[in-house]
Amino acid sequence: MIGWTIKDWRRAYEEGAAPENLLFDLLDRLPPNDVAWISRVDREGLRTQLAAATARREVARRSGADLPLYGVPFAVKDNIDFCGLPTTAACPGFAYRPAVHAFVVQRLIEAGAIVIGKTNLDQFATGLCGVRTPYGAVPNAIDPAYVSGGSSAGSASVVARGLVPFALASDTAGSVRVPAGLNNIIGFKPTRGAWSTTGVVPASRTLDCVSVLTTTVEDACTVDDIVAGYDVADAYSRQKPETASEPWPEHPRFGVPAVPDFCGDTQTQAAYEAALKKLEAFGVSLVPLPWDIFDAANALFYADAFVGERYAALEEVATKQPDAMLPIILEIISAAKKYSAADAFRAIYKQADLKRKADTIMAGVDALLVPTAPVHLRIADVEADPIRLNSLMSRYSNFVNILDFSALALPAGFRADGLPLGVTLIGPAWAERRLCEFGARYEAFLNLPRGALAAG
């Protein structure tokens, strides 16, 4: 079952496999002392979940229905509540045991899915490399000398290695897209508010998006079908508009950076240029765009008063338990103290102005297409220069939630050294399923290996 998709798990059960046997076998196969996990369920916890899912399935079957994810295992980033295990946000001093599941976890459990464990992350979801954690840096699934990307590092690792078919994560500034790109998997980032954040430790509450990592676009859509929806308990939950978006033309137009920046990484640049040629061969028209609007939106996140929202989320920990936080996390969020309330409003006004201008640009193309991350970084280098190098990863990701866009990170080939290249499709709010329609066709066209697994 290592490397199975959701469809593979379903097929195994349809062919008569016993869920208890498969799931216990999976639990036994998980590598010991795996830094990608912060905690995992034990056999009793798994048995309890499966018994509840089986009882729920019997009720559903009496009414002619079934559970679409019955017996399918998944992982949960450890800033999202699952009441069977503690939530730590990669900060042991902050840890608590939730009384109820997060909204999105509850929906998956009601669909029959089984939680295997909680995954490692950059502490309080603050980072894009996966090294800012007291539980140990999570290595890249393809080359362990390199970073996995963060903050959803553990979720990306367990999916890329085929341990589970999907993992919940969160994305505020690229925390799903960057690790997806660096580990050769899919990162589905819905529109802000499309998935509830009830039961999620906030990073920047107005921007946070619960998201999912998978090895196929189909699996990402399956999860979206189950967890998306309005949550009255979440003040930032949004109703999906009833009007359907117009489909893309057969040969879409993608806006690309006129002068892309790879931070000196010539191998990623060469792989990206090769990927653009394949896209053109697939029938895509590429439209070079000036990037100053998106650069300005990028800068709002940490170089302006928006960092204050990070501090607002963690103020209690920062003031009452500062020693519980990693010094680098405390340093980053404490930058908010130099900004005033007036600065915050000026940043909000700037965001609105940039949003209007960005929407005008977006109206001229079907989507934007960018390198998911401009560079691959070694863990040792990031540990020696943590803030500057981490910021390189955000080059093409920070602006997406600031501007209320949807996004889909896709594998797009490999560099000469075997490390993966990822690209991200970025569309307006509520365009994620159109992104997936194209992504699924392009996925089939490229026919790449999934994650760190051999093809097929």
Side-chain angles (χ1 to χ4, degrees):
M1 73 285 299
I2 300 300
W4 282 4
T5 64
I6 291 174
K7 183 182 291 186
D8 292 330
W9 280 92
R10 286 171 165 171
R11 183 184 299 116
Y13 294 142
E14 289 168 0
E15 294 175 352
E20 185 169 284
N21 292 343
L22 285 184
L23 291 168
F24 282 162
D25 189 18
L26 173 63
L27 210 60
D28 292 340
R29 286 171 179 256
L30 294 180
N33 305 316
D34 186 342
V35 73
W37 302 96
I38 289 178
S39 60
R40 296 198 297 229
V41 299
D42 57 19
R43 295 175 75 85
E44 186 58 35
L46 193 152
R47 187 177 286 109
T48 298
Q49 287 188 74
L50 186 56
T54 301
R56 198 176 292 114
R57 188 188 198 198
E58 291 306 312
V59 171
R61 284 183 161 180
R62 285 198 290 272
S63 61
D66 205 344
L67 303 187
L69 293 181
Y70 175 71
V72 177
F74 72 106
V76 180
K77 184 177 178 179
D78 201 18
N79 62 340
I80 303 172
D81 288 346
F82 164 64
C83 65
L85 294 168
T87 299
T88 73
C91 180
F94 171 81
Y96 62 91
R97 187 173 284 272
V100 296
H101 304 308
F103 181 96
V104 291
V105 173
Q106 181 65 38
R107 285 206 161 186
L108 290 165
I109 288 174
E110 288 173 355
I114 305 294
V115 175
I116 295 298
K118 306 292 292 295
T119 55
N120 202 351
L121 65 151
D122 284 311
Q123 190 176 79
F124 293 114
T126 303
L128 287 173
C129 288
V131 302
R132 296 172 175 173
T133 163
Y135 296 99
V138 179
N140 188 282
I142 293 166
D143 187 335
Y146 286 83
V147 301
S148 59
S151 62
S152 307
S155 287
S157 176
V158 299
V159 169
R161 289 181 289 143
L163 305 184
V164 289
F166 72 94
L168 289 181
S170 63
D171 185 306
T172 304
S175 288
V176 159
R177 291 162 281 147
V178 169
L182 297 184
N183 289 279
N184 194 44
I185 58 176
I186 306 296
F188 177 96
K189 191 215 75 70
T191 300
R192 284 184 349 217
W195 293 17
S196 169
T197 58
T198 298
V200 180
V201 178
S204 296
R205 193 176 172 210
T206 64
L207 303 177
D208 293 341
C209 294
V210 180
S211 305
V212 71
L213 290 152
T214 64
T215 61
T216 69
V217 174
E218 181 182 16
D219 278 0
C221 291
T222 295
V223 175
D224 180 55
D225 286 339
I226 291 166
V227 304
Y230 183 70
D231 174 16
V232 69
D234 176 4
Y236 290 96
S237 183
R238 297 159 72 181
Q239 296 273 17
K240 185 175 182 178
E242 292 184 6
T243 54
S245 301
E246 293 184 5
W248 282 354
E250 183 179 353
H251 302 296
R253 288 162 45 88
F254 292 162
V256 297
V259 184
D261 179 11
F262 296 93
C263 310
D265 190 329
T266 56
Q267 287 213 42
T268 296
Q269 180 176 357
Y272 175 71
E273 290 169 355
L276 293 186
K277 290 179 181 178
K278 290 179 183 177
L279 280 160
E280 288 179 315
F282 191 59
V284 172
S285 296
L286 302 176
V287 182
L289 297 175
W291 216 248
D292 55 316
I293 298 299
F294 305 111
D295 285 339
N298 249 14
L300 278 178
F301 208 87
Y302 284 113
D304 210 322
F306 265 88
V307 73
E309 191 168 25
R310 290 267 181 182
Y311 187 79
L314 300 175
E315 183 177 17
E316 184 173 356
V317 184
T319 55
K320 295 181 179 179
Q321 296 177 275
D323 292 342
M325 301 178 73
L326 293 176
I328 191 170
I329 305 298
L330 188 60
E331 177 186 349
I332 290 167
I333 69 166
S334 294
K337 294 179 181 179
K338 68 183 179 183
Y339 295 107
S340 67
D343 291 327
F345 276 101
R346 280 189 283 268
I348 291 170
Y349 303 152
K350 188 184 297 183
Q351 177 192 27
D353 180 59
L354 292 170
K355 168 65 174 168
R356 184 63 56 87
K357 293 174 180 176
D359 283 348
T360 301
I361 294 171
M362 186 72 81
V365 294
D366 294 299
L368 304 177
L369 183 130
V370 299
T372 300
V375 60
H376 273 275
L377 299 171
R378 292 181 180 272
I379 291 174
D381 293 334
V382 173
E383 289 175 336
D385 189 3
I387 292 180
R388 184 184 69 85
L389 291 183
N390 183 87
S391 70
L392 300 183
M393 288 296 186
S394 68
R395 184 72 178 80
Y396 294 107
S397 64
N398 270 7
F399 68 86
V400 175
N401 288 347
I402 287 275
L403 298 177
D404 194 20
F405 292 157
S406 56
L408 180 71
L410 295 165
F414 294 88
R415 308 187 332 167
D417 61 2
L419 287 169
L421 172 82
V423 296
T424 297
L425 286 172
I426 301 167
W430 308 109
E432 49 265 52
R433 294 312 282 259
R434 278 185 297 166
L435 302 179
C436 285
E437 289 167 6
F438 175 86
R441 291 194 295 115
Y442 193 58
E443 177 183 59
F445 172 72
L446 291 180
N447 192 28
L448 296 171
R450 295 183 297 110
L453 306 168

